[in-house]
Amino acid sequence: MKKKNITIYDIAKVANVSPTTVSRVLTGNPLVKESTRKRVLEKMEELEFTPNEAARSLTKKQTNMIGFILPDITNPFFSQTYIGVERKAFEQGYTILLRNSMNSREMESAHLREFVERRVECIVFMGGRINKSEPTEEEIVEMKEVMKRVPLIMVNGQMEGVDCHTIRTDEEEGMRSIIHHLVSLGHKDISLIGGEEGVSTADIKAKAFQEELENNNLEFHNEWQIYSGFGIDDGRVAMKRLLTNKKLPTAIVGINDMVIYGALKECREHKVSIDHFSFVGYDDIFPSDIVHPSLTTVNHNYEVLTSEIIEVIKKIIEKKDTEKEILIDTKLIIRESSFENNQGK
Amino acid sequence: MKKKNITIYDIAKVANVSPTTVSRVLTGNPLVKESTRKRVLEKMEELEFTPNEAARSLTKKQTNMIGFILPDITNPFFSQTYIGVERKAFEQGYTILLRNSMNSREMESAHLREFVERRVECIVFMGGRINKSEPTEEEIVEMKEVMKRVPLIMVNGQMEGVDCHTIRTDEEEGMRSIIHHLVSLGHKDISLIGGEEGVSTADIKAKAFQEELENNNLEFHNEWQIYSGFGIDDGRVAMKRLLTNKKLPTAIVGINDMVIYGALKECREHKVSIDHFSFVGYDDIFPSDIVHPSLTTVNHNYEVLTSEIIEVIKKIIEKKDTEKEILIDTKLIIRESSFENNQGK
DNA sequence: TTGTATGCGTTATCAC
DNA sequence: GTGATAACGCATACAA
């Protein structure tokens, strides 16, 4: 256990070359005679040498690490995004540092600080403060401080006054396509459940929802839009409250898939037939195609999204020009949960 | 952008102290006069100094990083395990490097290599080669090589001849509890679907399954045990094949929750009433309590599992003694999908 | 094609 | 309490 760490100096000694030459074979410098390269490699094998990345980072002033902050990796929306980025980063030789913030400001700060200290080349940020319509002054200031030292990419979020790279999927258009779909199925009474005022992903969708109802000359019922949160239980709560209305909608749109899972569960537990409602979610997360009924929802185009993220990362690191704002088309996925309105007048 | 990296030397200069003193306030050394400490801290603030973790790691010969390899973070079984470990590691001041292997030997190797180069303090390994009943010689050798340089913890797996720390949930007992549960509901005809021969998690369960049938004087029908894989589609395939039998079981156990999702889907698409079968899964992953019917399954006791992982990590790093093998109790979660057998003779 | 000297930004070991 | 000085392990500029 007291085994001395072996370094390029040790290799140099046993291979009868200078440390520089060892370093050269390490970095793949072609100006090394084949025979000596071979000898060095052999010795490295023999002594079980492994280069020390910390030392390398120190001299090269680059770490090949990318920081990735998201609220909760157990949420399929984030894990589906993360894994695409990780795979593509791996192919490019980058290493990702993943951190879950649980939407906590303190954890976000801690992770940001660590990323700066570890000198990540770039930070990808999802959720939390960048989705608040009114982040605190400290949150903004902190982001600006971080940005002075490392480039920042916000995914599906933004912050007033923080001028960084932005990649987002078109949630507004996504919501419009939902309404369009429901209208084409003959629905006139449409509800929106879940979300939270002041969180951008909810605000954007709610605004588009209302506007698109209007465009279709449909009435917006205030009591049919129920903010409750983003989780499964929040969906149950919303559904419960929705069901207290005298008049009920024929279609229910969720701020995301999760709340619809909750709504369906609530219906079942209270013997409310789910056949009375068309349900539409948002995100197209993992279980949405296997739940019953399978869920009509909006897919974020994860493949394109993650590709764009990597592209921007690459360009930032290679100091090439990039668009500051990227908008990605979403696509409506039609499944069993939405069907023709047969309660028509 | 050409801003020079500012170091403790810069701070030292403007604060009229030596770099050593700056380092002292950085490490929280108490032997610094309060007034100078304050002055130094002020200057650090002013110049926006952030310590360089690479340099620190280099001299301290410790990185506070832990490598974590798992097959696929989008699989809730893994993300539920991972997030618990990440949170607890964070509380202890450790940083986790997550890598998805997709069960590919090449990716596992690449990740292992990177972990060694980055000098992680410990590696947690799940899935892939450590679940094969017959790993290749290279896979074994590689693991041993890695173990010479960094401690290894295998979670729910092991490798012949690789003497490392092992933490696993009691899959054998978990399967026995399933059979026990089904028998108590009056089931005599029980099927096992999914999994793959040669993968430990399947082998262990299949063995316990057969033994426990025998213990209960139930007949094991070879044609009712169907290996097909671990995914949703594999569950569909298995169910399809199961349905071709003349005589059908009354209860169907899945090698995991995923295959049951698939089996349910297959039934629905082919108008086979799911009320004919009790279904039991394994893992208790995220959607199992919200799918319909909610799934009876075995929970791995994630809280305990992740706590044990962290405990072992801590003890390894602090060079304290630990049990080499830890076995964790699982718990049967009974939900809607399993019910009394009413086709009784 | 190879070697020497130096720097990267900390911490640790002494000495004062 | 504080400060020189030497590691830590590699890469790079410059020589040879």
PDB file of all heavy atoms in Angstrom, chain B residues 10-37:
ATOM      1  N   ASP B  10      -0.736  36.061  -6.262  1.00  0.00           N
ATOM      2  CA  ASP B  10      -1.315  37.382  -6.501  1.00  0.00           C
ATOM      3  C   ASP B  10      -1.957  37.907  -5.227  1.00  0.00           C
ATOM      4  O   ASP B  10      -1.805  39.072  -4.868  1.00  0.00           O
ATOM      5  CB  ASP B  10      -2.356  37.294  -7.618  1.00  0.00           C
ATOM      6  CG  ASP B  10      -1.739  36.758  -8.899  1.00  0.00           C
ATOM      7  OD1 ASP B  10      -0.674  37.268  -9.290  1.00  0.00           O
ATOM      8  OD2 ASP B  10      -2.298  35.808  -9.484  1.00  0.00           O
ATOM      9  N   ILE B  11      -2.663  37.028  -4.565  1.00  0.00           N
ATOM     10  CA  ILE B  11      -3.309  37.429  -3.316  1.00  0.00           C
ATOM     11  C   ILE B  11      -2.250  37.834  -2.300  1.00  0.00           C
ATOM     12  O   ILE B  11      -2.365  38.857  -1.622  1.00  0.00           O
ATOM     13  CB  ILE B  11      -4.146  36.262  -2.742  1.00  0.00           C
ATOM     14  CG1 ILE B  11      -5.166  35.768  -3.774  1.00  0.00           C
ATOM     15  CG2 ILE B  11      -4.845  36.711  -1.462  1.00  0.00           C
ATOM     16  CD1 ILE B  11      -6.180  36.781  -4.180  1.00  0.00           C
ATOM     17  N   ALA B  12      -1.218  37.009  -2.233  1.00  0.00           N
ATOM     18  CA  ALA B  12      -0.142  37.275  -1.280  1.00  0.00           C
ATOM     19  C   ALA B  12       0.430  38.674  -1.490  1.00  0.00           C
ATOM     20  O   ALA B  12       0.613  39.446  -0.544  1.00  0.00           O
ATOM     21  CB  ALA B  12       0.941  36.217  -1.435  1.00  0.00           C
ATOM     22  N   LYS B  13       0.667  38.985  -2.748  1.00  0.00           N
ATOM     23  CA  LYS B  13       1.263  40.275  -3.073  1.00  0.00           C
ATOM     24  C   LYS B  13       0.399  41.428  -2.569  1.00  0.00           C
ATOM     25  O   LYS B  13       0.853  42.269  -1.805  1.00  0.00           O
ATOM     26  CB  LYS B  13       1.457  40.366  -4.594  1.00  0.00           C
ATOM     27  CG  LYS B  13       2.616  41.239  -5.004  1.00  0.00           C
ATOM     28  CD  LYS B  13       3.001  40.969  -6.469  1.00  0.00           C
ATOM     29  CE  LYS B  13       3.542  39.548  -6.658  1.00  0.00           C
ATOM     30  NZ  LYS B  13       3.753  39.214  -8.088  1.00  0.00           N
ATOM     31  N   VAL B  14      -0.849  41.429  -2.988  1.00  0.00           N
ATOM     32  CA  VAL B  14      -1.703  42.558  -2.627  1.00  0.00           C
ATOM     33  C   VAL B  14      -2.056  42.586  -1.148  1.00  0.00           C
ATOM     34  O   VAL B  14      -2.466  43.607  -0.611  1.00  0.00           O
ATOM     35  CB  VAL B  14      -3.006  42.582  -3.452  1.00  0.00           C
ATOM     36  CG1 VAL B  14      -2.686  42.768  -4.928  1.00  0.00           C
ATOM     37  CG2 VAL B  14      -3.818  41.316  -3.225  1.00  0.00           C
ATOM     38  N   ALA B  15      -1.904  41.454  -0.482  1.00  0.00           N
ATOM     39  CA  ALA B  15      -2.257  41.424   0.940  1.00  0.00           C
ATOM     40  C   ALA B  15      -1.018  41.562   1.824  1.00  0.00           C
ATOM     41  O   ALA B  15      -1.109  41.497   3.049  1.00  0.00           O
ATOM     42  CB  ALA B  15      -3.009  40.132   1.265  1.00  0.00           C
ATOM     43  N   ASN B  16       0.120  41.716   1.169  1.00  0.00           N
ATOM     44  CA  ASN B  16       1.375  41.860   1.909  1.00  0.00           C
ATOM     45  C   ASN B  16       1.659  40.700   2.860  1.00  0.00           C
ATOM     46  O   ASN B  16       2.012  40.894   4.031  1.00  0.00           O
ATOM     47  CB  ASN B  16       1.381  43.158   2.714  1.00  0.00           C
ATOM     48  CG  ASN B  16       1.609  44.347   1.814  1.00  0.00           C
ATOM     49  OD1 ASN B  16       2.454  44.296   0.903  1.00  0.00           O
ATOM     50  ND2 ASN B  16       0.831  45.385   2.033  1.00  0.00           N
ATOM     51  N   VAL B  17       1.457  39.510   2.366  1.00  0.00           N
ATOM     52  CA  VAL B  17       1.814  38.323   3.153  1.00  0.00           C
ATOM     53  C   VAL B  17       2.504  37.357   2.211  1.00  0.00           C
ATOM     54  O   VAL B  17       2.651  37.628   1.016  1.00  0.00           O
ATOM     55  CB  VAL B  17       0.567  37.641   3.758  1.00  0.00           C
ATOM     56  CG1 VAL B  17      -0.063  38.506   4.817  1.00  0.00           C
ATOM     57  CG2 VAL B  17      -0.427  37.298   2.661  1.00  0.00           C
ATOM     58  N   SER B  18       2.904  36.230   2.728  1.00  0.00           N
ATOM     59  CA  SER B  18       3.517  35.223   1.871  1.00  0.00           C
ATOM     60  C   SER B  18       2.435  34.295   1.333  1.00  0.00           C
ATOM     61  O   SER B  18       1.355  34.195   1.925  1.00  0.00           O
ATOM     62  CB  SER B  18       4.511  34.395   2.671  1.00  0.00           C
ATOM     63  OG  SER B  18       3.798  33.505   3.495  1.00  0.00           O
ATOM     64  N   PRO B  19       2.729  33.643   0.229  1.00  0.00           N
ATOM     65  CA  PRO B  19       1.773  32.681  -0.325  1.00  0.00           C
ATOM     66  C   PRO B  19       1.390  31.630   0.723  1.00  0.00           C
ATOM     67  O   PRO B  19       0.259  31.163   0.746  1.00  0.00           O
ATOM     68  CB  PRO B  19       2.548  32.044  -1.477  1.00  0.00           C
ATOM     69  CG  PRO B  19       3.548  33.062  -1.875  1.00  0.00           C
ATOM     70  CD  PRO B  19       3.925  33.800  -0.627  1.00  0.00           C
ATOM     71  N   THR B  20       2.340  31.269   1.536  1.00  0.00           N
ATOM     72  CA  THR B  20       2.054  30.276   2.573  1.00  0.00           C
ATOM     73  C   THR B  20       0.878  30.699   3.437  1.00  0.00           C
ATOM     74  O   THR B  20      -0.006  29.905   3.746  1.00  0.00           O
ATOM     75  CB  THR B  20       3.286  30.100   3.468  1.00  0.00           C
ATOM     76  OG1 THR B  20       4.421  29.906   2.637  1.00  0.00           O
ATOM     77  CG2 THR B  20       3.103  28.912   4.371  1.00  0.00           C
ATOM     78  N   THR B  21       0.893  31.949   3.805  1.00  0.00           N
ATOM     79  CA  THR B  21      -0.194  32.432   4.661  1.00  0.00           C
ATOM     80  C   THR B  21      -1.533  32.370   3.940  1.00  0.00           C
ATOM     81  O   THR B  21      -2.542  31.990   4.517  1.00  0.00           O
ATOM     82  CB  THR B  21       0.093  33.869   5.112  1.00  0.00           C
ATOM     83  OG1 THR B  21       1.323  33.861   5.844  1.00  0.00           O
ATOM     84  CG2 THR B  21      -1.013  34.378   6.004  1.00  0.00           C
ATOM     85  N   VAL B  22      -1.500  32.748   2.694  1.00  0.00           N
ATOM     86  CA  VAL B  22      -2.737  32.660   1.916  1.00  0.00           C
ATOM     87  C   VAL B  22      -3.238  31.227   1.916  1.00  0.00           C
ATOM     88  O   VAL B  22      -4.414  30.949   2.149  1.00  0.00           O
ATOM     89  CB  VAL B  22      -2.519  33.131   0.465  1.00  0.00           C
ATOM     90  CG1 VAL B  22      -3.803  33.005  -0.328  1.00  0.00           C
ATOM     91  CG2 VAL B  22      -2.008  34.550   0.443  1.00  0.00           C
ATOM     92  N   SER B  23      -2.306  30.323   1.675  1.00  0.00           N
ATOM     93  CA  SER B  23      -2.681  28.915   1.675  1.00  0.00           C
ATOM     94  C   SER B  23      -3.278  28.530   3.027  1.00  0.00           C
ATOM     95  O   SER B  23      -4.230  27.762   3.097  1.00  0.00           O
ATOM     96  CB  SER B  23      -1.450  28.052   1.382  1.00  0.00           C
ATOM     97  OG  SER B  23      -1.760  26.695   1.559  1.00  0.00           O
ATOM     98  N   ARG B  24      -2.717  29.105   4.062  1.00  0.00           N
ATOM     99  CA  ARG B  24      -3.212  28.769   5.401  1.00  0.00           C
ATOM    100  C   ARG B  24      -4.667  29.177   5.583  1.00  0.00           C
ATOM    101  O   ARG B  24      -5.450  28.432   6.140  1.00  0.00           O
ATOM    102  CB  ARG B  24      -2.342  29.449   6.460  1.00  0.00           C
ATOM    103  CG  ARG B  24      -1.013  28.772   6.662  1.00  0.00           C
ATOM    104  CD  ARG B  24      -0.387  29.166   7.981  1.00  0.00           C
ATOM    105  NE  ARG B  24       0.911  28.504   8.148  1.00  0.00           N
ATOM    106  CZ  ARG B  24       2.079  29.081   7.872  1.00  0.00           C
ATOM    107  NH1 ARG B  24       2.114  30.328   7.439  1.00  0.00           N
ATOM    108  NH2 ARG B  24       3.197  28.409   8.038  1.00  0.00           N
ATOM    109  N   VAL B  25      -4.985  30.368   5.114  1.00  0.00           N
ATOM    110  CA  VAL B  25      -6.396  30.750   5.301  1.00  0.00           C
ATOM    111  C   VAL B  25      -7.274  29.869   4.417  1.00  0.00           C
ATOM    112  O   VAL B  25      -8.388  29.519   4.789  1.00  0.00           O
ATOM    113  CB  VAL B  25      -6.675  32.262   5.060  1.00  0.00           C
ATOM    114  CG1 VAL B  25      -5.414  33.062   5.099  1.00  0.00           C
ATOM    115  CG2 VAL B  25      -7.480  32.498   3.832  1.00  0.00           C
ATOM    116  N   LEU B  26      -6.738  29.459   3.292  1.00  0.00           N
ATOM    117  CA  LEU B  26      -7.502  28.593   2.399  1.00  0.00           C
ATOM    118  C   LEU B  26      -7.828  27.266   3.072  1.00  0.00           C
ATOM    119  O   LEU B  26      -8.934  26.738   2.950  1.00  0.00           O
ATOM    120  CB  LEU B  26      -6.678  28.330   1.134  1.00  0.00           C
ATOM    121  CG  LEU B  26      -7.356  28.576  -0.212  1.00  0.00           C
ATOM    122  CD1 LEU B  26      -8.184  29.832  -0.187  1.00  0.00           C
ATOM    123  CD2 LEU B  26      -6.310  28.636  -1.301  1.00  0.00           C
ATOM    124  N   THR B  27      -6.871  26.725   3.757  1.00  0.00           N
ATOM    125  CA  THR B  27      -7.076  25.411   4.376  1.00  0.00           C
ATOM    126  C   THR B  27      -7.678  25.530   5.765  1.00  0.00           C
ATOM    127  O   THR B  27      -7.878  24.531   6.437  1.00  0.00           O
ATOM    128  CB  THR B  27      -5.745  24.659   4.485  1.00  0.00           C
ATOM    129  OG1 THR B  27      -4.805  25.484   5.174  1.00  0.00           O
ATOM    130  CG2 THR B  27      -5.194  24.316   3.112  1.00  0.00           C
ATOM    131  N   GLY B  28      -7.945  26.768   6.179  1.00  0.00           N
ATOM    132  CA  GLY B  28      -8.577  26.932   7.474  1.00  0.00           C
ATOM    133  C   GLY B  28      -7.633  26.706   8.642  1.00  0.00           C
ATOM    134  O   GLY B  28      -8.069  26.403   9.747  1.00  0.00           O
ATOM    135  N   ASN B  29      -6.365  26.866   8.399  1.00  0.00           N
ATOM    136  CA  ASN B  29      -5.387  26.728   9.476  1.00  0.00           C
ATOM    137  C   ASN B  29      -5.617  27.810  10.533  1.00  0.00           C
ATOM    138  O   ASN B  29      -5.670  28.993  10.213  1.00  0.00           O
ATOM    139  CB  ASN B  29      -3.981  26.864   8.860  1.00  0.00           C
ATOM    140  CG  ASN B  29      -2.906  26.544   9.865  1.00  0.00           C
ATOM    141  OD1 ASN B  29      -2.997  26.924  11.031  1.00  0.00           O
ATOM    142  ND2 ASN B  29      -1.896  25.837   9.406  1.00  0.00           N
ATOM    143  N   PRO B  30      -5.757  27.415  11.785  1.00  0.00           N
ATOM    144  CA  PRO B  30      -6.109  28.374  12.848  1.00  0.00           C
ATOM    145  C   PRO B  30      -4.947  29.271  13.272  1.00  0.00           C
ATOM    146  O   PRO B  30      -5.154  30.280  13.942  1.00  0.00           O
ATOM    147  CB  PRO B  30      -6.534  27.468  14.005  1.00  0.00           C
ATOM    148  CG  PRO B  30      -5.820  26.179  13.770  1.00  0.00           C
ATOM    149  CD  PRO B  30      -5.610  26.040  12.299  1.00  0.00           C
ATOM    150  N   LEU B  31      -3.736  28.920  12.869  1.00  0.00           N
ATOM    151  CA  LEU B  31      -2.571  29.700  13.318  1.00  0.00           C
ATOM    152  C   LEU B  31      -2.373  30.978  12.512  1.00  0.00           C
ATOM    153  O   LEU B  31      -1.247  31.359  12.191  1.00  0.00           O
ATOM    154  CB  LEU B  31      -1.299  28.859  13.192  1.00  0.00           C
ATOM    155  CG  LEU B  31      -1.287  27.485  13.860  1.00  0.00           C
ATOM    156  CD1 LEU B  31       0.030  26.778  13.577  1.00  0.00           C
ATOM    157  CD2 LEU B  31      -1.521  27.621  15.350  1.00  0.00           C
ATOM    158  N   VAL B  32      -3.454  31.604  12.137  1.00  0.00           N
ATOM    159  CA  VAL B  32      -3.325  32.848  11.394  1.00  0.00           C
ATOM    160  C   VAL B  32      -4.011  33.956  12.183  1.00  0.00           C
ATOM    161  O   VAL B  32      -5.137  33.785  12.656  1.00  0.00           O
ATOM    162  CB  VAL B  32      -3.974  32.736   9.995  1.00  0.00           C
ATOM    163  CG1 VAL B  32      -3.768  34.022   9.228  1.00  0.00           C
ATOM    164  CG2 VAL B  32      -3.410  31.551   9.237  1.00  0.00           C
ATOM    165  N   LYS B  33      -3.322  35.059  12.292  1.00  0.00           N
ATOM    166  CA  LYS B  33      -3.899  36.161  13.065  1.00  0.00           C
ATOM    167  C   LYS B  33      -5.203  36.595  12.396  1.00  0.00           C
ATOM    168  O   LYS B  33      -5.289  36.683  11.169  1.00  0.00           O
ATOM    169  CB  LYS B  33      -2.916  37.336  13.120  1.00  0.00           C
ATOM    170  CG  LYS B  33      -3.175  38.257  14.336  1.00  0.00           C
ATOM    171  CD  LYS B  33      -2.565  39.630  14.144  1.00  0.00           C
ATOM    172  CE  LYS B  33      -1.057  39.564  13.998  1.00  0.00           C
ATOM    173  NZ  LYS B  33      -0.459  40.889  13.750  1.00  0.00           N
ATOM    174  N   GLU B  34      -6.176  36.857  13.199  1.00  0.00           N
ATOM    175  CA  GLU B  34      -7.498  37.179  12.679  1.00  0.00           C
ATOM    176  C   GLU B  34      -7.461  38.344  11.697  1.00  0.00           C
ATOM    177  O   GLU B  34      -8.128  38.322  10.656  1.00  0.00           O
ATOM    178  CB  GLU B  34      -8.441  37.484  13.844  1.00  0.00           C
ATOM    179  CG  GLU B  34      -9.925  37.424  13.484  1.00  0.00           C
ATOM    180  CD  GLU B  34     -10.296  36.195  12.654  1.00  0.00           C
ATOM    181  OE1 GLU B  34      -9.743  35.095  12.930  1.00  0.00           O
ATOM    182  OE2 GLU B  34     -11.106  36.322  11.720  1.00  0.00           O
ATOM    183  N   SER B  35      -6.682  39.342  12.014  1.00  0.00           N
ATOM    184  CA  SER B  35      -6.660  40.536  11.166  1.00  0.00           C
ATOM    185  C   SER B  35      -6.081  40.203   9.786  1.00  0.00           C
ATOM    186  O   SER B  35      -6.604  40.659   8.769  1.00  0.00           O
ATOM    187  CB  SER B  35      -5.838  41.639  11.823  1.00  0.00           C
ATOM    188  OG  SER B  35      -4.494  41.202  11.981  1.00  0.00           O
ATOM    189  N   THR B  36      -5.025  39.409   9.757  1.00  0.00           N
ATOM    190  CA  THR B  36      -4.470  39.083   8.438  1.00  0.00           C
ATOM    191  C   THR B  36      -5.400  38.151   7.687  1.00  0.00           C
ATOM    192  O   THR B  36      -5.558  38.267   6.482  1.00  0.00           O
ATOM    193  CB  THR B  36      -3.085  38.423   8.559  1.00  0.00           C
ATOM    194  OG1 THR B  36      -3.241  37.093   9.020  1.00  0.00           O
ATOM    195  CG2 THR B  36      -2.200  39.172   9.511  1.00  0.00           C
ATOM    196  N   ARG B  37      -6.018  37.220   8.413  1.00  0.00           N
ATOM    197  CA  ARG B  37      -6.973  36.350   7.742  1.00  0.00           C
ATOM    198  C   ARG B  37      -8.029  37.168   7.033  1.00  0.00           C
ATOM    199  O   ARG B  37      -8.359  36.939   5.867  1.00  0.00           O
ATOM    200  CB  ARG B  37      -7.643  35.414   8.753  1.00  0.00           C
ATOM    201  CG  ARG B  37      -8.766  34.545   8.121  1.00  0.00           C
ATOM    202  CD  ARG B  37      -9.630  33.870   9.160  1.00  0.00           C
ATOM    203  NE  ARG B  37      -8.829  33.132  10.110  1.00  0.00           N
ATOM    204  CZ  ARG B  37      -8.253  31.969   9.838  1.00  0.00           C
ATOM    205  NH1 ARG B  37      -8.398  31.429   8.656  1.00  0.00           N
ATOM    206  NH2 ARG B  37      -7.522  31.369  10.754  1.00  0.00           N
TER     207      ARG B  37
END
